Amino acid sequence: MEERDFDVIVVGSGCAGAIAAYVAAKKGKSVLVVERGEYAGAKNMTGGRIYAHSLKAVFDKYGEGEIEWDEIPFERKVTHERIAMMDATSNMTIDFTSEQLGEMGKDSYTVLRGPFDQWLAEQAENAGCEYICGIAVEELLKDESGAVIGIKAGEDEITAHVVIIAEGVNSLLAERCLGAPRPKRNEMAVGIKEVFELSPEQIEDRFLCPEGEGAAMLFVGDATHGEVGGGFLYTNKDSISLGLVATIENMSKANTTIYQCLDDFKKHPAVAPIIRGAEMVEHSGHMVSEGGYNMIPKYTYDGALIAGDAAMLCMNLGYMVRGMDLAVASGQFAAEAACDAIDAEDVSEAGLASYKQKMDNSFVIKDLATFSKWPSTMEHWGRMFTDYPKMVSEIFNAMFVVDGEPALPLKKRMMPIVKQRGLFKLASEVRGALKAL
Ligand SMILES: Cc1cc2nc3c(=O)[nH]c(=O)nc-3n(C[C@H](O)[C@H](O)[C@H](O)COP(=O)(O)OP(=O)(O)OC[C@H]3O[C@@H](n4cnc5c(N)ncnc54)[C@H](O)[C@@H]3O)c2cc1C
């Protein structure tokens, strides 16, 4: 193979990029990471909670015992799962706790991307990667056959045998230089988030969590003023991440804005007491891919691989959001495939094909395929975000309100509420949703 400046160049140091760089360096390759933020994590945003299994798989395989689990800057281990359905004034929450949620390999943690991504980048640097921060990659360099042979960043042209594109959602490099299709508006969502400071004791008291443990909470209904999307809340060590995600297509047609939704969400009786007295210390916004399996582009090219959100590896199931564990695993697989191809001196698309095989055989593609029908089911299930929360409110009001009027049997109180929505329609909608989930 021709001489190159590096074996591998990684574009972006989020979950996918930092792990790809770490793995490639651990496999003995020279690696350059180019990150447009002033430091890794400077521009990144998540809800967020990471399901830790894929991180554990990487460090078990490549960590050589150097990484202690408790040195990872996780915020809190999530042991409380809450799902809430709210209309404008009421809220019904399911609160689930279980020992299994905290077991090693099944555990998940809240994270703040600033410290988390910097720590990931540190591991990549310790493994031998070189970092350039504060510069965006603008172009991919190609040879006369069209194969990717490097990058252009600022004034510099730097070559590599393989370029791993891990620049996150809305990957302009994939679109502009590799012809990946532009995502449709109904496949993309906008997310906004605010971080509120609270003491650890306040968090543990407000969420009934043991010391060091925390809660993840998703909201459907009035959080987005009835538009497709939802609210999220994650407890960090001494802060709370609170925000909303709503599809761009719906929001652009709605009679509201995401900022108005967030304002009202913070005032809702189910949310206001949680952030009472807390100072807002951070505000951020980011896009999220929502289309799931059906929007995954081609991700293996001559000389280049795409990993993480840049390959649209993200899923929002309404009761859970997953992107970071998919990003970590895809970063690992991309790096392994790149290293094997370099060793075999064939970095053509065919030489890099083991990336797709690894992805197809792993939870990444299998899980996205399992839930492939959910994004369109959710998109066309408007009542889930409007009428269902209202119905739930009516049901629970009918159950709990005592006003001195002679009470009817429960069935007589419930049936009119349900029948009003069409019993058959309701059953068929729920059946459709269960089939997609
Ligand atoms: C509101 C919201 C809530 C979410 N909640 C969750 C959650 O709770 N759990 C979960 O698992 N996932 C969640 N996700 C999804 C998750 O954040 C992503 O799936 C994950 O961050 C993808 O990681 P990545 O490394 O592919 O991309 P990113 O984390 O976006 O990293 C991309 C990196 O590339 C850099 N970059 C971009 N362009 C260039 C360029 N041209 N040159 C150089 N560098 C560049 C960026 O600065 C960034 O550092 C959420 C997302 C949002 C927006």
Side-chain angles (χ1 to χ4, degrees), residues 11-17 34-37 43-49 113 135-137 166-168 191 232 234 245 286-288 308-309 314 321-324 327:
V11 181
S13 188
C15 300
V34 184
E35 163 57 49
R36 74 173 170 179
K43 290 179 182 280
N44 296 349
M45 172 191 172
T46 201
R49 160 251 293 274
R113 292 295 296 274
I135 292 183
V137 173
E167 62 170 344
F232 60 84
Y234 297 96
V245 171
H286 207 278
M287 296 233 274
V288 200
D309 266 13
C314 191
V321 182
R322 287 173 62 188
M324 287 186 280

Side-chain angles (χ1 to χ4, degrees), residues 381-428:
W381 199 14
R383 293 215 303 170
M384 179 64 190
F385 304 90
T386 50
D387 206 27
Y388 276 45
K390 203 160 168 286
M391 180 180 76
V392 166
S393 167
E394 287 171 22
I395 287 175
F396 283 93
N397 271 321
M399 198 166 153
F400 290 116
V401 170
V402 176
D403 59 4
E405 290 293 316
L408 293 172
L410 205 55
K411 192 175 153 204
K412 283 204 168 162
R413 276 180 271 163
M414 298 300 154
M415 282 319 278
I417 298 170
V418 178
K419 270 189 179 160
Q420 191 194 333
R421 269 87 189 177
L423 207 52
F424 184 70
K425 194 169 176 206
L426 212 68
S428 107

Side-chain angles (χ1 to χ4, degrees), residues 44-368:
N44 296 349
M45 172 191 172
T46 201
R49 160 251 293 274
I50 183 166
Y51 292 92
H53 62 103
S54 48
L55 211 51
K56 181 172 184 309
V58 171
F59 293 134
D60 281 355
K61 190 165 174 186
Y62 297 102
E64 298 155 6
E66 294 160 355
I67 291 168
E68 298 291 334
W69 199 241
D70 56 13
E71 82 180 64
I72 306 177
F74 293 134
E75 293 291 316
R76 285 174 185 265
K77 184 189 270 197
V78 177
T79 53
H80 283 241
E81 298 282 354
R82 293 183 180 178
I83 301 175
M85 221 179 204
M86 51 165 55
D87 75 356
T89 54
S90 73
N91 178 65
M92 193 276 297
T93 299
I94 297 170
D95 185 351
F96 178 69
T97 63
S98 127
E99 272 188 0
Q100 278 202 40
L101 292 172
E103 281 172 23
M104 193 61 152
K106 302 174 181 174
D107 43 350
S108 68
Y109 301 85
T110 54
V111 287
L112 290 167
R113 292 295 296 274
F116 184 65
D117 286 19
Q118 282 177 74
W119 183 86
L120 287 179
E122 240 171 65
Q123 307 318 304
E125 278 188 298
N126 292 345
C129 300
E130 282 185 42
Y131 260 73
I132 301 177
C133 287
I135 292 183
V137 173
E138 291 141 23
E139 293 289 339
L140 297 177
L141 301 177
K142 294 184 180 174
D143 67 11
E144 54 290 346
S145 74
V148 175
I149 55 162
I151 56 152
K152 183 168 185 304
E155 296 301 302
D156 297 323
E157 294 195 343
I158 312 170
T159 59
H161 293 301
V162 179
V163 175
I164 298 177
I165 298 163
E167 62 170 344
V169 72
N170 198 25
S171 171
L172 294 178
L173 288 178
E175 200 184 311
R176 218 173 38 215
C177 307
L178 298 173
R182 183 147 193 78
K184 300 186 195 84
R185 276 150 53 106
N186 65 335
E187 294 174 330
M188 298 300 286
V190 57
I192 51 171
K193 169 175 139 173
E194 292 183 350
V195 177
F196 293 88
E197 261 179 5
L198 279 177
S199 72
E201 296 74 28
Q202 282 174 314
I203 290 171
E204 283 145 21
D205 287 351
R206 290 181 193 194
F207 287 88
L208 308 177
C209 291
E211 199 180 329
E213 297 183 11
M217 193 163 180
L218 294 180
F219 301 80
V220 69
D222 205 65
T224 47
H225 289 186
E227 299 301 327
V228 177
F232 60 84
L233 186 160
Y234 297 96
T235 56
N236 305 312
K237 272 192 187 123
D238 50 14
S239 66
I240 280 178
S241 299
L242 181 77
L244 299 175
V245 171
T247 57
I248 290 176
E249 174 80 358
N250 276 63
M251 261 301 144
S252 62
K253 291 183 190 153
N255 201 13
T256 185
T257 65
I258 189 116
Y259 300 103
Q260 186 59 53
C261 292
L262 184 61
D263 258 6
D264 294 342
F265 184 47
K266 288 187 290 186
K267 290 181 197 139
H268 192 281
V271 176
I274 296 174
I275 52 170
R276 188 181 56 236
E279 189 189 344
M280 199 252 280
V281 289
E282 200 182 303
H283 181 99
S284 53
H286 207 278
M287 296 233 274
V288 200
S289 64
E290 292 264 302
Y293 182 75
N294 295 314
M295 69 185 294
I296 301 174
K298 181 179 167 197
Y299 47 77
T300 308
Y301 295 83
D302 291 333
L305 299 171
I306 309 180
D309 266 13
M312 305 293 173
L313 306 175
C314 191
M315 52 198 209
N316 178 356
L317 301 181
Y319 61 91
M320 64 164 56
V321 182
R322 287 173 62 188
M324 287 186 280
D325 60 326
L326 282 67
V328 166
S330 64
Q332 175 190 343
F333 300 149
E336 288 173 347
C339 295
D340 290 348
I342 293 166
D343 291 344
E345 302 199 354
D346 178 5
V347 293
S348 67
E349 187 181 333
L352 290 164
S354 67
Y355 179 39
K356 184 165 182 334
Q357 285 154 17
K358 284 170 192 280
M359 294 276 274
D360 283 344
N361 292 332
S362 76
F363 76 91
V364 178
I365 297 299
K366 286 183 179 169
D367 286 0
L368 281 158

